[in-house]
Amino acid sequence: MGVQETAEAIRSMEIRGAGRIARAGVRALCEVAEGHQGGRDELLRDLEEAKEHILSSRPTAISLWNGVQAAMHGVDRLEDAEAVRARVVDNSRAFIERSERALESIGRIGAKRISDGDVVLTHCNSHAALSVIKEAHRQGKRLEVIATESRPWRQGIITVNELAAEGIPVTMIVDNAVRSMMRSVDLVLVGADTITSSGVLINKIGTSQIALIANEARVPFLVCSETYKFSPITLFGELVEIEERGRAEIIGDADVPDSVTVRNPVFDATPPEYIDSIVTEIGMIPPFAAYEVIVKILGHDYIFENKE
Ligand code: RUB
């Protein structure tokens, strides 16, 4: 898939989920480098253009930004095209491998928090959250999952199909049923599109309501997130742009007059106070440690070079 096709597939949500869009964007950049016949400056210009194109596909998940920055890391300092090509290919492969390994580590670390007989509620379709659930199941723990439908895209259907295929008992509910069901839930596990330097979680619309309800019912609320979903640019005061999509996704072919405004924000913000812990590949961290993760794991170099 080339850059245009990848960006379009991300925009149209054929490829979706913060981890998957990051890997797809990085793969597309890697292919630009691999197939390039031109000189250094031309290659750098084409990579820069491809990067901007990929980044314009969806605005909210910082994973995409972190992924393409990682793929391009250090290329400006290189003096010939071959070195740039090799660097982008190496960077890209390393990012993709790290991101896949991170999912496995998150599965192993998070599974420790699931006890035999637990009922886990999850929202939307997060590979990181599913990695934890599947690992607990592989370890022989009996668990049940409640999955929200996740209007309007209904990613819950992907989730229940994935879990059913693994033989994990799963119940699907409409988003509005979360509070009614919370009394039978032991643990909430969700994914992340972005985590800010102050520990705010940006994830699928409805996540913050679930966090409030879990807090009210004293049910632990855990976020499953690779460290490349932490946002370095929020350190410098950038706000996270919440994507708004079209009205048709909500009303479908229902007869609603044009005079009616339909809003379709697809992500929301959950404050750190409602998050018990973030399961990352480097361990379970409190949301207030997000700053440390950004500075220590993503690194000074990385942050300051890519600040703009
Ligand atoms: C998906 C979503 C997921 C996160 C994390 O939204 O909000 O919870 O992206 O997913 P959309 P993962 O369907 O609009 O992309 O853990 O797979 O990276």
Side-chain angles (χ1 to χ4, degrees):
M1 226 189 238
V3 170
Q4 310 285 340
E5 291 87 346
T6 303
E8 191 40 45
I10 294 174
R11 192 171 294 119
S12 66
M13 291 176 61
E14 186 190 319
I15 303 174
R16 45 147 301 283
R20 278 157 286 182
I21 66 176
R23 285 189 291 276
V26 168
R27 247 179 237 117
L29 271 186
C30 183
E31 280 167 24
V32 170
E34 276 174 329
H36 207 279
Q37 307 291 331
R40 173 195 180 271
D41 293 347
E42 202 188 332
L43 172 56
L44 283 180
R45 198 198 51 225
D46 289 351
L47 282 167
E48 202 52 43
E49 221 171 79
K51 186 180 110 181
E52 291 311 318
H53 200 69
I54 290 164
L55 286 178
S56 69
S57 58
R58 284 191 88 182
T60 303
I62 198 68
S63 54
L64 188 58
W65 189 91
N66 275 332
V68 300
Q69 300 296 345
M72 301 280 281
H73 189 53
V75 292
D76 286 347
R77 291 187 226 115
L78 302 170
E79 280 170 10
D80 63 89
E82 194 38 55
V84 173
R85 238 189 314 277
R87 175 66 72 93
V88 173
V89 171
D90 284 356
N91 282 350
S92 304
R93 291 192 182 141
F95 177 83
I96 291 168
E97 270 170 38
R98 256 202 331 269
S99 115
E100 284 164 356
R101 269 205 315 274
L103 269 181
E104 289 167 24
S105 306
I106 288 171
R108 275 196 305 278
I109 295 168
K112 294 182 186 160
R113 292 295 296 269
I114 297 183
S115 306
D116 197 42
D118 271 358
V119 176
V120 177
L121 184 137
T122 189
H123 185 47
C124 192
N125 175 254
S126 155
H127 264 195
L130 290 183
S131 171
V132 171
I133 292 169
K134 287 178 187 175
E135 177 57 25
H137 175 71
R138 265 193 294 273
Q139 292 174 359
K141 291 178 184 166
R142 282 172 301 121
L143 74 157
E144 272 179 55
V145 178
I146 297 177
T148 56
E149 179 188 17
S150 309
R151 280 273 296 152
W153 267 78
R154 310 183 80 202
Q155 291 93 331
I157 292 178
I158 310 173
T159 296
V160 296
N161 285 340
E162 266 189 78
L163 293 173
E166 298 273 324
I168 300 172
V170 57
T171 303
M172 187 168 154
I173 58 170
V174 295
D175 303 326
N176 292 346
V178 168
R179 192 158 182 257
S180 304
M181 302 297 286
M182 193 56 83
R183 70 177 73 90
S184 51
V185 172
D186 297 295
L187 182 69
V188 176
L189 286 177
V190 296
D193 280 85
T194 293
I195 294 174
T196 72
S197 57
S198 52
V200 174
L201 163 70
I202 312 293
N203 191 50
K204 179 54 54 196
I205 192 79
T207 302
S208 65
Q209 287 174 0
I210 297 174
L212 287 181
I213 293 166
N215 185 266
E216 176 197 48
R218 299 187 192 288
V219 172
F221 181 93
L222 263 53
V223 179
C224 306
S225 171
E226 301 88 329
T227 50
Y228 66 86
K229 292 172 183 169
F230 287 68
S231 171
I233 57 177
T234 56
L235 274 182
F236 303 101
E238 294 286 339
L239 296 174
V240 180
E241 181 183 341
I242 301 290
E243 178 184 6
E244 284 225 27
R245 296 180 68 92
R247 61 189 268 138
E249 291 183 356
I250 301 212
I251 56 178
D253 53 14
D255 197 10
V256 177
D258 287 347
S259 59
V260 175
T261 304
V262 178
R263 298 279 307 267
N264 183 13
V266 296
F267 299 104
D268 67 15
T270 302
E273 293 79 1
Y274 294 96
I275 299 170
D276 289 281
S277 206
I278 305 177
V279 188
T280 75
E281 71 274 21
I282 56 162
M284 308 264 304
I285 64 149
F288 295 106
Y291 171 85
E292 300 276 315
V293 170
I294 292 169
V295 173
K296 295 203 175 125
I297 306 298
L298 297 176
H300 282 96
D301 232 30
Y302 180 76
I303 293 167
F304 289 106
E305 263 181 33
N306 295 306
K307 182 154 87 74
E308 302 307 327

